[in-house]
Amino acid sequence: MVRRVAVIGAGPGGLVSVKCCLDEGLEPTCFEQSQDIGGVWRYTESTDARRVSVYRSVITNTSKEMSCFSDFPFPEDFPSYLPHSLLLEYFRMYAQQFDLLRHIRFKTTALSVRRRPDFATSGLWEVVTEKDGVRESHVFDAVMVCTGHYQEPYLPLDSFPGINTRFKGQYLHSQEYKDVEAFRGKRVLVVGIGNTGGDLSVELSHVAAKVFLSARSNTWVTSRLSYQGFPLDMVRSTRFNHFLEWLLPSALTRRIKFRKLNSWFNHANYGLASTKSSKFKMIVNEELPFCLLSGTVVLKPSVKEFRENSAVFEDGTTEENIDVVLFATGYVFPFPFLEESVRSLFEDNRSLYKCIFPPQLEKPTLAIIGLVQLTGSIMVGSEMQARWVTGIFAGWNKLPPRSRMIAEVLKKKPPVKRNPSERENLKMSFISYTDDIAACAGVKPNVLRLLLTDPQLALAIFFGPCTPYQYRLVGRGMWSGARDAILTQWQRTLKPLRNRVVDDASSSSSGWHWLCLLALPAALTAGFLLSKYPQLRWGPALGL
């Protein structure tokens, strides 16, 4: 029986893990090497190599309603997309509300996490920590590793001949970037076109003499704003859309996505992406297209080599007088505190059962929280993982036999090893993954059943955004405020915009009700077909 649980890291994943442990009657002790909570979201001016934090201007890519912890909505006056300061304030409110800080040991580094000699029968772990130069050894029944995937910068210098031998300019990883001042008036080359590379290119274009953005892969660019200015993820991440993607041929859904993305601007004209590409990588950036159009950012192909003051690209072109090269090439997650025999069991999240458990261990008392790439909020995914894991530790949830877990991992594992810069390809559907873990934890909502008992709520769940509150309607950890939170989520989205109210007869909310009414026959038809023809197997898509 698990009682004492070590939680490594006090970022969002660590906070929610401590809270879930307390909900299940467990005894968590969280070790945080810095002096405060928040993880990467706690911005600091320091460029300490041991700690990764966001840059000054960062704004969340997922909206507040789609990113909150499932029983603790963001304040209604918070904007939909949040700067790091407001997100950290939310974490402080969450920690205070559930009295989490007394379970966290700050300025305490986890040096090693090792299995005890009798692990095969006991499942126990020995955790060695250090604070103020004093080492201490602890024994825990289970360990939850919550250090995330932004642990150590990935800087593949070997892939860029000449960068550390001939190039006389400065080069650095985006982890060292804090603001634009050090780049004022310089010619900057940004390598990597993920979300970070796109953000930094746009920001630098306001002060740099010239910004070049080197992209190796096809990349689609989208905006945080969607239909009528609502947050993109609230409009896109719905069970109805998820059902359509499951129902329609993949070639058709890709064509629809490409057409939608190209309706904003033609990506082929900008050299970003082609509809003929087999890969689908997408970043969020409202300003990048205009920067490309205005010439303040120039898109370039992969770098072939560096010379003294220039960069030569794969297409044979050369850009002279490069002052700074900024590598936005991602991160690796080495977990240096884990013993090598355990760390070697997984090279990425696909080596873990449900992206959480190393299946080869004799006892499932080690859980990796937050090492997952989703098309939605990682905070929501981490909370769902923590709820399921702590339910297993407490004896409420069960895992399948080791042989079955290993077989499932081998079945889903990618055939070739990918480097961190290709991690986008490892992204999984937000709804598919959270629903999968929710089903394991017994907290997945049943839409068809709700359609009979609470039609208004059922329609909001199926056609509206798949917000985290849906996973607090049933099962362990039910929250009495979940239904109201779902039905009022659009009001909270609009609340911070109501600083100047204008008279508009076409109400967005009334339009939403009409949409639900029109969709009712479709939902009823789906329920009838499911009951009459179970071989259609619509259950996973409909939320059964």
Side-chain angles (χ1 to χ4, degrees), residues 213-388:
L213 175 59
S214 172
R216 181 173 59 180
S217 59
N218 282 296
T219 303
W220 297 88
V221 183
T222 190
S223 168
R224 294 174 179 86
L225 299 181
S226 185
Y227 176 71
Q228 292 191 342
F230 285 109
L232 173 69
D233 53 359
M234 292 188 72
V235 174
R236 183 181 62 187
S237 297
T238 70
R239 294 185 180 278
F240 176 67
N241 288 339
H242 182 61
F243 169 65
L244 288 180
E245 287 191 11
W246 171 86
L247 183 66
L248 298 175
S250 59
L252 179 58
T253 58
R254 288 175 64 85
R255 190 181 306 170
I256 293 172
K257 287 180 181 178
F258 289 155
R259 178 171 293 184
K260 178 68 175 176
L261 290 165
N262 273 333
S263 67
W264 184 25
F265 69 95
N266 188 303
H267 285 64
N269 289 344
Y270 283 64
L272 284 163
S274 166
T275 56
K276 296 180 180 179
S277 172
S278 60
K279 296 181 179 180
F280 186 83
K281 174 184 175 181
M282 188 166 64
I283 66 171
V284 177
N285 198 306
E286 294 79 19
E287 299 180 66
L288 182 59
F290 179 72
C291 287
L292 295 173
L293 192 63
S294 62
T296 55
V297 174
V298 177
L299 192 65
K300 303 292 292 186
S302 299
V303 176
K304 181 180 180 180
E305 64 173 334
F306 285 95
R307 296 173 182 168
E308 288 188 355
N309 300 298
S310 62
V312 181
F313 298 91
E314 293 290 352
D315 62 355
T317 59
T318 301
E319 294 297 341
E320 303 286 349
N321 302 318
I322 300 296
D323 298 303
V324 184
V325 179
L326 183 59
F327 287 97
T329 45
Y331 294 82
V332 292
F333 28 86
F335 300 111
F337 48 84
L338 282 179
E339 63 175 297
E340 177 58 31
S341 60
V342 174
R343 191 166 67 243
S344 63
L345 296 177
F346 57 97
E347 58 190 28
D348 56 41
N349 59 17
R350 297 297 178 93
S351 303
L352 303 169
Y353 180 68
K354 304 294 186 185
C355 300
I356 301 172
F357 291 102
Q360 299 90 342
L361 295 179
E362 297 90 341
K363 297 289 183 180
T365 54
L366 173 67
I368 312 296
I369 303 297
L371 190 67
V372 59
Q373 287 282 300
L374 301 176
T375 55
S377 170
I378 182 60
M379 286 171 52
V380 178
S382 296
E383 182 190 26
M384 187 55 63
Q385 290 178 330
R387 291 178 66 187
W388 180 46

Side-chain angles (χ1 to χ4, degrees), residues 26-27 49 53 130 141 197 242 244 354 372 393 418 429 533:
L26 306 176
E27 301 170 7
S53 77
E130 183 177 62
D141 298 310
H242 182 61
L244 288 180
K354 304 294 186 185
V372 59
F393 290 166
R418 296 179 170 93
S429 163
Y533 305 105

Side-chain angles (χ1 to χ4, degrees), residues 158-178:
D158 292 343
S159 300
F160 299 93
I163 185 65
N164 54 4
T165 55
R166 286 179 287 173
F167 184 63
K168 293 184 177 180
Q170 177 189 7
Y171 69 86
L172 67 159
H173 189 273
S174 58
Q175 183 252 349
E176 300 178 63
Y177 178 91
K178 294 301 176 181

